[in-house]
Amino acid sequence: VTWNEQFQKLTTSDQNGLIIVWILYKGAWYEEMINNRNKSVVRSMSWNADGQKICIVYEDGAVIVGSVDGNRIWGKDLKGTQLSHVAWSPDSKTLLFGMANGEIHIYDSQGNFMMKMKMNCLVNVTGAFSIAGIHWYPGTEGYVEPDCPCLAICFDNGRCQIMRHENDQNPVLIDTTMNVVSIQWNHCGNVLAVAGFQKVAAQDKDVNLVQFYTPFGEHLRTLRVPGKQMSSLSWEGGGLKIALAVDSSIYFANIRPDYKWGYCSNTVVYAYVRPNRPEYCVVFWDTKNNEKYLKYVKSLISITTCGDFCILATKADESQPQYVLVLCNSIGTPLDPKYIDIAPLFVTMTKTQVIVASKQAFYVWQYRVAKKLTAMEINQVARTRKEGRERICHVDDTSSGAADGILDYAKALQGTRDPICAITASDKTLIIGRESGTIQKYSLPNVGFIQTYALNSCPYQLSLNCNSSRLAVVDISGLLTFFDLDTRVMDSKGQYVIGEQLKLERKDVWDMKWAKDNPDLFAMMEKTRMYVFRNLDPEEPIQTSGYICSFEDLEIKSVLLDEILKNPEQPNKDFIINFEIRSLRDSRALIEEVGIEESSQFIEDNPHPRLWRLLAEAALQKLDLQTAEQAFVRYKDYQGIRFVKRLGNLKSESMKQAEVAAYFGRFEEAERMYLDMDRRDLAISLRIKLGDGFRVLQLLKTGSGHADDSLLEQAHNAVGDYFADRQKWANAVQYYVQGRNQERLAECYYMLEDYQGLEDLANSLPENNKLLFDIAHKFVTVGMCEQAVTAFLKCNKPKEAVDCCVHLNQWRKAVELAKQYNMKEIGSLLARYASHLLEKNKPLDAVKLYYKANYFFEAAKLMFKIADDEAKKRTKPLRVKKLYVMSALLVEQYHEQMKNAQRGKTKGKTSEATSALAGLLEEDVVSSDSRLIDNAWRGAEAYHFFILAQRQLYEGYVDTAMKTALHLRDYEDVIPAVEIYSLLALCACANRAFGTCSKAFVKLESLETLSSEQREQYEDLALQIFTNRCPKDSKKSDMDGLLEEGEGKLPTCVATGRPITEYQFWMCSVCKHCVQAQEISNYNFCPLCHSSVS
């Protein structure tokens, strides 16, 4: 028989080889398809993971693969083989065929042989054996961890191997020590059930067993099954039941999965795997507010909870054996992680300590949590404070008290003959159970060994009651026993020993919880019933399959995890069930039936705080204030006592009833009573306390007479807050406007990005209003400089206004404001920003900054530096000239600024700011480089003549070119001498002025900057030129005489490079350089500085 889950079809095959596909239609099964090969019998059938294909194998080696709609895809005859089993891989690309001789062959999805599978589990096996089952879990519900073993193969002799894939060289090996008949994975691949029988020597009949294993081969449980012969097993779809075919019966067993879950402060924490993610999804479900918080955790091992906190134990890294304990609060915020080197197989926690045990050692960590701190602050505290105390002990080391300080992992990792199998702890006692049945008791928090006890069985789960006097022990078969740790009894030898096994025993127990407030009270789950025991006597059972969350105040809270994990993303409040135990139910019934007097006597005889609370509430309902007060005193509820006192001071009976209704949360009823008494003010104040602004507004508007303005504002603001909390800013604005709440209005406008509204609000505020500062900052964050400055100035914060301009790069505005408000620090401010720009390698931006701020001298200094740097890089000469011209123009602007400043001084009518600035600048000048100011145009002239000489040379005016080049001799500090004299030699040679050329060569050969190779080259070149040419100038003009005699006296024409001898010439108004009168008519712009001629 095989079932197709996706298409809900059943395929059967009988002893004659007849195959039928059945479908369910209107509650009855119908034959959809029939097929009979008539040659051989079907040995195995298997649907692939998506339910689209079925593979059928016959005993004689015939294989057929068909589609879900009945079409044959392919068929093959595997000659000479006897087939017995078939399985698809999860991706449907591979088929496994099990042979009658126990071999497994691997084929591709088209039926082509690939290889034989290596069976590691059959090493050293003798005798005949056959395959009992092959089951490959397809991963439909996700995997327990990435790369998890999922292919289970089992033989009838009990040997089993679980592989990650068909070629896994290192599979998980299991010896079940029984004859196996059937195997199957559960729906999510985390439990493998193996059914079979064991021969028992003493008895003549076999014992039927089902063994349960994890994918990693760890044995979970053994289930004994009655009957003669078990032939098959099957899991229910959700994995909560297992069906077993025994003889002519079907047995059903309930499965109680060991979920990863916990309960802390009204929050159920549970983990599940999603098919599409490798991590565990841990859900923190706040059952009170029905909110949930998700957290994805890799390689989660367990969840442990206590009080308000929970510990997630995880594996740190796949490659190393290191583990992490993450302390979380009830919404999943990690507060403190701890790295440990022992495997956290068993974890328990108390309000102050976490105890983790591996097989051979246990580790104790005293965690500290600051209740009132946020997660961020906790992280900071955690860094500064000394770490919480940690200890590690080997289970065989029973010396009293473990040393603090160094954690000796080497010792802890040593093996032991009697491994740990369970642990539990209360605030003062730690109990460790070992496989031999020995339990060890330690004191907490100092972890001092006290004594050992001997149990009758190996514990699987341990639990201490609230005063650590009794221990509940559940063993692997679900047998619950109790051990009294404190009683002194006489043993068989007549010796007094401490500790006694109690008489009570319960079978099939899968969960138990002691009451937090009574050492004799506990609840336990047995099959599908919950029992509550008081002093080891059971009350009548309650039918439920819930896992117990907590047991306190005579109430048990239980959670239906099976239901939740069917749809873990949508937990429902109906899955949390509260049970009241008998004494609470009886007391409630008593109060209702016989009244308060008699029941108070019963509660006096059976006192419990919860019962006193019940009595107090009942007395309040009946307005029996005296009894209520006494009960509240016994319940130690101070607020309750105060409330009763307040009720006593009220005269009106109906007023008291209304107050009581409000106390019990029946607010509608209380409000109605107030309104009936014509006390609208009390109804309103009740609603204000509840924060129900809508109802307050309604009450204020419906009443007669004028409503109090301040109350109306308060109500409007409350409604505004309601909308703002839900981020419905537009709705909130309407109410805040009516409630005149400017602070929240500003917030809403900002969130709505309604900057016009924000600006109007700022304009409507009076000067120096404290909100203006906040609004200004809001404008700054969105880069609205002008509005921000207005707001800052309105609240009298000019410095912040300047800072805002600086922050938003509005430097001109910043300087204006600094001048206007007479601020001294503007210079340092600019310098700071300029240095920031220079660090970012943006020198031109820094120049622009100074220029915009009218700091021309600073700008010029920077510009000269840029020009010098460019010149050194041997960039295009024209670019360098432009940079030098720019620098010089900045210096000219600086001169102009200084003149104006001086003028202002002499007139004596200028503002203080200007003169202060002028003074500052003058100081600057005195201390700075005078070269810049006196010879501002020098760099520009040098490169201008350098370019001009080359242009003239290339245009063929060799004589003019040479004369221009001669000017360059004065600029050796700007242009490298090599370039100047090379150009001069070239021009002179072209002009046949070999005298000048010779001098240029002499100069070149004497330069120290040249290497010896370069010098040789110049010497060789000179030799070639002057071997047959006399080094004399052929013509000497009058000009040269003039030039040499009165060197530097005559101005030079920047257009031609010739000296100007005429009395009439044109002078540039910007750079003060001259051009011959007849030449200037050819130009619209000055040849040097490019300013307009007109």
Side-chain angles (χ1 to χ4, degrees):
V1 183
T2 178
W3 171 250
N4 182 337
E5 177 63 33
Q6 282 75 7
F7 293 93
Q8 301 284 301
K9 290 184 179 184
L10 182 70
T11 314
T12 64
S13 148
D14 65 12
Q15 62 196 38
N16 304 318
L18 176 70
I19 299 169
I20 305 178
V21 179
W22 307 80
I23 57 165
L24 187 65
Y25 180 68
K26 290 187 177 174
W29 289 95
Y30 291 93
E31 300 167 359
E32 188 189 34
M33 284 178 266
I34 293 183
N35 180 5
N36 194 353
R37 200 168 142 257
N38 292 329
K39 278 190 183 172
S40 173
V41 293
V42 174
R43 277 283 163 242
S44 181
M45 300 182 286
S46 173
W47 287 97
N48 68 348
D50 60 9
Q52 295 284 357
K53 297 183 200 166
I54 187 169
C55 181
I56 301 165
V57 298
Y58 290 84
E59 193 173 46
D60 65 0
V63 178
I64 297 172
V65 173
S67 69
V68 68
D69 45 22
N71 296 321
R72 180 184 173 120
I73 298 173
W74 58 265
K76 230 174 190 170
D77 215 351
L78 307 180
K79 295 276 190 300
T81 58
Q82 245 189 313
L83 297 176
S84 66
H85 284 82
V86 63
W88 286 95
S89 65
D91 60 5
S92 306
K93 289 181 179 171
T94 313
L95 278 165
L96 302 184
F97 293 130
M99 308 294 168
N101 63 2
E103 287 182 357
I104 293 179
H105 294 188
I106 305 171
Y107 282 71
D108 68 10
S109 59
Q110 298 308 310
N112 304 311
F113 176 75
M114 288 156 76
M115 61 189 286
K116 275 188 191 180
M117 185 182 285
K118 187 181 175 199
M119 302 312 302
N120 299 36
C121 64
L122 295 175
V123 177
N124 303 334
V125 170
T126 53
F129 54 83
S130 63
I131 299 168
I134 305 175
H135 192 191
W136 201 332
Y137 165 61
T140 39
E141 296 286 326
Y143 293 96
V144 187
E145 63 175 63
D147 200 25
C148 175
C150 54
L151 166 57
I153 297 166
C154 200
F155 293 87
D156 63 351
N157 60 7
R159 295 295 182 95
C160 184
Q161 75 180 35
I162 311 179
M163 308 167 76
R164 288 166 181 79
H165 47 80
E166 70 274 19
N167 299 322
D168 190 353
Q169 297 304 309
N170 191 16
V172 174
L173 305 180
I174 303 170
D175 187 355
T176 60
T177 65
M178 63 177 186
N179 293 68
V180 179
V181 294
S182 179
I183 66 166
Q184 196 179 359
W185 285 109
N186 67 347
H187 71 300
C188 56
N190 63 2
V191 180
L192 177 68
V194 181
F197 58 90
Q198 221 170 19
K199 289 194 176 347
V200 181
Q203 300 169 347
D204 51 353
K205 68 178 177 55
D206 302 337
V207 180
N208 291 319
L209 298 175
V210 182
Q211 306 276 24
F212 296 91
Y213 296 93
T214 68
F216 305 99
E218 293 149 17
H219 180 247
L220 294 171
R221 280 292 164 106
T222 299
L223 175 68
R224 294 171 78 92
V225 185
K228 280 186 184 168
Q229 192 185 1
M230 181 157 51
S231 54
S232 178
L233 90 133
S234 180
W235 285 89
E236 179 217 28
L240 297 176
K241 282 192 180 70
I242 195 163
L244 306 164
V246 183
D247 306 330
S248 57
S249 316
I250 297 176
Y251 285 82
F252 292 94
N254 284 320
I255 301 291
R256 301 306 320 140
D258 192 2
Y259 295 117
K260 292 178 168 57
W261 80 287
Y263 179 80
C264 55
S265 66
N266 293 318
T267 302
V268 177
V269 187
Y270 59 90
Y272 68 97
V273 285
R274 286 180 169 178
N276 53 350
R277 289 193 74 135
E279 314 99 324
Y280 272 89
C281 177
V282 181
V283 181
F284 290 79
W285 173 40
D286 179 349
T287 57
K288 202 171 179 182
N289 306 324
N290 204 16
E291 289 176 351
K292 55 185 206 305
Y293 308 89
L294 299 187
K295 189 176 170 63
Y296 288 97
V297 181
K298 266 190 178 168
S299 313
L300 179 71
I301 297 167
S302 65
I303 295 174
T304 314
T305 51
C306 179
D308 298 340
F309 301 102
C310 113
I311 287 279
L312 304 178
T314 67
K315 201 163 181 210
D317 189 6
E318 291 304 317
S319 53
Q320 300 162 312
Q322 202 183 27
Y323 304 88
V324 197
L325 304 176
V326 186
L327 178 70
C328 297
N329 62 11
S330 59
I331 59 168
T333 310
L335 306 177
D336 200 355
K338 252 306 167 253
Y339 284 82
I340 56 171
D341 288 350
I342 63 168
L345 303 179
F346 313 100
V347 186
T348 185
M349 72 187 288
T350 68
K351 288 196 173 65
T352 54
Q353 288 179 310
V354 175
I355 299 102
V356 173
S358 64
K359 294 266 190 203
Q360 60 271 349
F362 62 94
Y363 159 93
V364 181
W365 163 35
Q366 192 164 329
Y367 67 90
R368 299 185 181 133
V369 177
K371 269 274 174 85
K372 295 281 179 281
L373 296 183
T374 62
M376 235 164 89
E377 291 166 323
I378 283 174
N379 286 341
Q380 286 159 4
V381 172
R383 285 197 200 98
T384 53
R385 68 170 164 74
K386 187 171 173 273
E387 285 304 306
R389 288 166 57 179
E390 300 172 65
R391 302 150 180 266
I392 190 158
C393 315
H394 195 276
V395 70
D396 295 334
D397 178 17
T398 50
S399 54
S400 60
D404 266 359
I406 303 158
L407 296 177
D408 186 1
Y409 276 111
K411 194 173 176 188
L413 295 171
Q414 291 168 3
T416 175
R417 289 190 173 166
D418 188 4
I420 297 174
C421 59
I423 63 171
T424 185
S426 65
D427 288 340
K428 54 185 183 183
T429 308
L430 165 64
I431 300 286
I432 290 185
R434 304 178 71 171
E435 285 183 7
S436 63
T438 308
I439 54 173
Q440 291 173 199
K441 180 176 173 183
Y442 295 82
S443 65
L444 288 179
N446 59 345
V447 201
F449 174 73
I450 297 173
Q451 70 180 104
T452 57
Y453 304 92
L455 297 179
N456 299 341
S457 60
C458 165
Y460 173 72
Q461 193 182 333
L462 297 172
S463 181
L464 275 168
N465 66 353
C466 63
N467 65 1
S468 308
S469 62
R470 281 184 179 173
L471 179 70
V473 183
V474 182
D475 71 8
I476 191 105
S477 63
L479 181 72
L480 170 67
T481 52
F482 291 87
F483 194 85
D484 196 312
L485 298 171
D486 299 341
T487 326
R488 287 170 65 86
V489 289
M490 195 179 282
D491 66 0
S492 53
K493 296 175 187 168
Q495 301 278 326
Y496 274 105
V497 289
I498 296 177
E500 177 192 16
Q501 187 94 29
L502 300 179
K503 296 285 179 284
L504 180 73
E505 268 190 10
R506 302 294 294 203
K507 289 181 179 169
D508 295 325
V509 175
W510 52 271
D511 195 12
M512 78 84 58
K513 188 75 104 191
W514 289 97
K516 278 188 187 171
D517 42 21
N518 184 338
D520 296 330
L521 213 53
F522 70 88
M524 52 154 267
M525 298 299 306
E526 186 179 290
K527 293 189 171 163
T528 55
R529 289 189 292 277
M530 178 194 287
Y531 288 89
V532 176
F533 281 75
R534 182 189 290 275
N535 285 332
L536 307 184
D537 296 326
E539 295 180 4
E540 64 278 359
I542 303 159
Q543 193 75 21
T544 175
S545 285
Y547 287 70
I548 304 169
C549 295
S550 66
F551 184 2
E552 61 183 321
D553 277 347
L554 309 183
E555 284 184 288
I556 298 166
K557 182 170 279 195
S558 134
V559 56
L560 300 174
L561 279 176
D562 301 335
E563 301 303 316
I564 287 177
L565 285 152
K566 282 177 186 170
N567 183 9
E569 288 166 39
Q570 301 295 326
N572 187 331
K573 269 193 160 177
D574 300 344
F575 299 152
I576 296 282
I577 306 172
N578 289 313
F579 300 103
E580 295 185 342
I581 77 164
R582 190 165 61 197
S583 57
L584 184 54
R585 295 198 301 269
D586 292 354
S587 306
R588 183 167 275 132
L590 225 105
I591 289 168
E592 283 167 13
E593 286 163 22
V594 301
I596 286 169
E597 283 296 314
E598 289 81 354
S599 32
S600 71
Q601 190 52 51
F602 170 77
I603 293 169
E604 189 78 56
D605 299 339
N606 302 288
H608 190 284
R610 179 70 183 84
L611 299 181
W612 286 118
R613 189 176 102 203
L614 185 71
L615 182 66
E617 288 171 356
L620 267 185
Q621 299 275 25
K622 298 202 165 67
L623 293 182
D624 179 350
L625 300 186
Q626 191 185 353
T627 312
E629 185 174 4
Q630 286 171 352
F632 274 131
V633 168
R634 301 295 289 270
Y635 181 50
K636 298 178 184 166
D637 182 352
Y638 183 62
Q639 283 90 344
I641 299 167
R642 290 290 304 271
F643 177 66
V644 174
K645 285 264 191 275
R646 202 170 86 238
L647 282 186
N649 296 335
L650 295 174
K651 300 287 179 284
S652 148
E653 201 71 11
S654 51
M655 184 74 89
K656 287 180 184 174
Q657 282 172 342
E659 287 287 329
V660 169
Y663 178 79
F664 286 118
R666 302 197 300 271
F667 303 118
E668 305 294 330
E669 189 184 320
E671 184 190 297
R672 202 168 53 249
M673 288 176 172
Y674 286 138
L675 292 174
D676 292 346
M677 287 184 274
D678 202 21
R679 289 300 301 271
R680 191 161 58 103
D681 57 329
L682 291 175
I684 288 170
S685 73
L686 171 71
R687 287 296 174 186
I688 288 174
K689 272 184 204 160
L690 292 174
D692 186 352
F694 292 98
R695 187 72 187 130
V696 174
L697 271 181
Q698 241 174 333
L699 288 168
L700 285 170
K701 285 174 183 169
T702 52
S704 56
H706 290 295
D708 182 349
D709 281 356
S710 67
L711 269 180
L712 259 174
E713 277 186 20
Q714 197 180 338
H716 279 123
N717 285 332
V719 178
D721 290 343
Y722 170 85
F723 284 122
D725 288 345
R726 284 152 187 75
Q727 299 189 350
K728 296 183 175 172
W729 309 108
N731 303 36
V733 165
Q734 303 164 13
Y735 287 96
Y736 285 141
V737 168
Q738 288 172 294
R740 289 187 260 190
N741 189 340
Q742 292 155 332
E743 216 165 299
R744 295 304 300 256
L745 257 178
E747 189 75 23
C748 290
Y749 284 140
Y750 182 63
M751 296 311 272
L752 284 168
E753 299 180 19
D754 177 1
Y755 302 119
Q756 188 55 49
L758 198 56
E759 194 176 343
D760 295 343
L761 177 63
N763 294 338
S764 69
L765 290 171
E767 285 193 3
N768 289 335
N769 185 307
K770 65 176 190 294
L771 189 57
L772 282 165
F773 189 68
D774 190 37
I775 290 176
H777 273 297
K778 286 183 165 58
F779 281 130
V780 172
T781 56
V782 291
M784 296 174 73
C785 184
E786 199 177 318
Q787 290 85 340
V789 167
T790 312
F792 276 129
L793 294 179
K794 196 169 180 183
C795 63
N796 197 17
K797 302 267 190 204
K799 185 178 181 314
E800 279 76 1
V802 171
D803 289 347
C804 143
C805 293
V806 169
H807 178 62
L808 297 173
N809 289 336
Q810 301 294 323
W811 291 92
R812 181 162 286 175
K813 183 84 178 161
V815 174
E816 277 172 25
L817 285 171
K819 285 180 185 170
Q820 189 181 337
Y821 288 92
N822 207 358
M823 291 185 189
K824 284 277 171 100
E825 65 265 20
I826 187 72
S828 65
L829 209 130
L830 284 169
R832 202 173 71 220
Y833 184 54
S835 66
H836 164 74
L837 287 171
L838 290 172
E839 269 171 31
K840 286 196 163 181
N841 201 15
K842 294 182 177 175
L844 287 169
D845 290 7
V847 172
K848 196 171 175 185
L849 163 75
Y850 278 129
Y851 177 73
K852 278 187 178 175
N854 294 346
Y855 271 57
F856 299 121
F857 185 67
E858 300 297 330
K861 275 209 294 199
L862 266 179
M863 203 67 214
F864 272 119
K865 189 174 180 311
I866 296 167
D868 290 346
D869 290 349
E870 285 292 309
K872 279 178 195 151
K873 286 185 201 164
R874 312 277 303 273
T875 331
K876 291 180 180 171
L878 185 59
R879 176 175 164 77
V880 180
K881 177 192 163 182
K882 284 179 183 174
L883 291 171
Y884 276 122
V885 168
M886 177 80 196
S887 319
L889 288 172
L890 285 167
V891 172
E892 294 300 332
Q893 275 176 297
Y894 163 68
H895 286 315
E896 196 62 35
Q897 189 184 36
M898 286 300 291
K899 275 183 210 158
N900 292 346
Q902 291 304 327
R903 252 183 238 132
K905 261 190 199 171
T906 49
K907 282 182 187 167
K909 289 175 189 169
T910 50
S911 67
E912 277 179 53
T914 323
S915 50
L917 203 63
L920 273 170
L921 290 164
E922 278 175 347
E923 286 166 28
D924 230 338
V925 173
V926 173
S927 62
S928 74
D929 192 354
S930 61
R931 170 183 91 90
L932 296 184
I933 294 163
D934 302 343
N935 302 326
W937 289 96
R938 191 169 166 73
E941 287 165 7
Y943 273 91
H944 173 72
F945 288 132
F946 185 60
I947 294 166
L948 183 63
Q950 303 209 41
R951 193 178 294 138
Q952 289 168 337
L953 176 66
Y954 279 96
E955 284 172 0
Y957 305 119
V958 285
D959 188 39
T960 327
M962 186 182 87
K963 284 174 180 165
T964 309
L966 281 166
H967 286 299
L968 290 174
R969 292 175 305 178
D970 301 339
Y971 297 103
E972 282 185 32
D973 57 331
V974 182
I975 298 174
V978 183
E979 299 199 8
I980 293 174
Y981 291 106
S982 298
L983 180 63
L984 182 56
L986 193 63
C987 294
C989 191
N991 194 25
R992 322 296 286 169
F994 294 112
T996 309
C997 183
S998 167
K999 284 177 191 169
F1001 267 108
V1002 168
K1003 190 76 179 169
L1004 276 172
E1005 286 167 23
S1006 64
L1007 286 177
E1008 289 171 9
T1009 53
L1010 296 182
S1011 65
S1012 53
E1013 287 175 23
Q1014 288 171 319
R1015 195 171 284 117
E1016 274 175 31
Q1017 285 177 327
Y1018 280 119
E1019 284 168 4
D1020 294 350
L1021 189 61
L1023 204 63
Q1024 284 177 30
I1025 294 171
F1026 298 113
T1027 307
N1028 46 14
R1029 290 182 187 83
C1030 178
K1032 279 185 182 172
D1033 288 353
S1034 52
K1035 51 187 175 187
K1036 190 172 172 92
S1037 66
D1038 316 334
M1039 279 297 147
D1040 295 349
L1042 276 170
L1043 203 66
E1044 281 168 14
E1045 286 163 25
E1047 194 178 351
K1049 296 286 190 297
L1050 293 176
T1052 308
C1053 169
V1054 287
T1056 60
R1058 290 200 290 269
I1060 299 173
T1061 50
E1062 298 89 1
Y1063 287 106
Q1064 279 197 329
F1065 53 81
W1066 176 85
M1067 182 187 268
C1068 175
S1069 60
V1070 178
C1071 64
K1072 309 291 185 285
H1073 284 71
C1074 309
V1075 177
Q1076 288 171 330
Q1078 68 269 28
E1079 284 288 333
I1080 195 63
S1081 55
N1082 302 332
Y1083 290 93
N1084 290 329
F1085 298 97
C1086 166
L1088 179 66
C1089 71
H1090 303 277
S1091 54
S1092 176
V1093 166
S1094 57

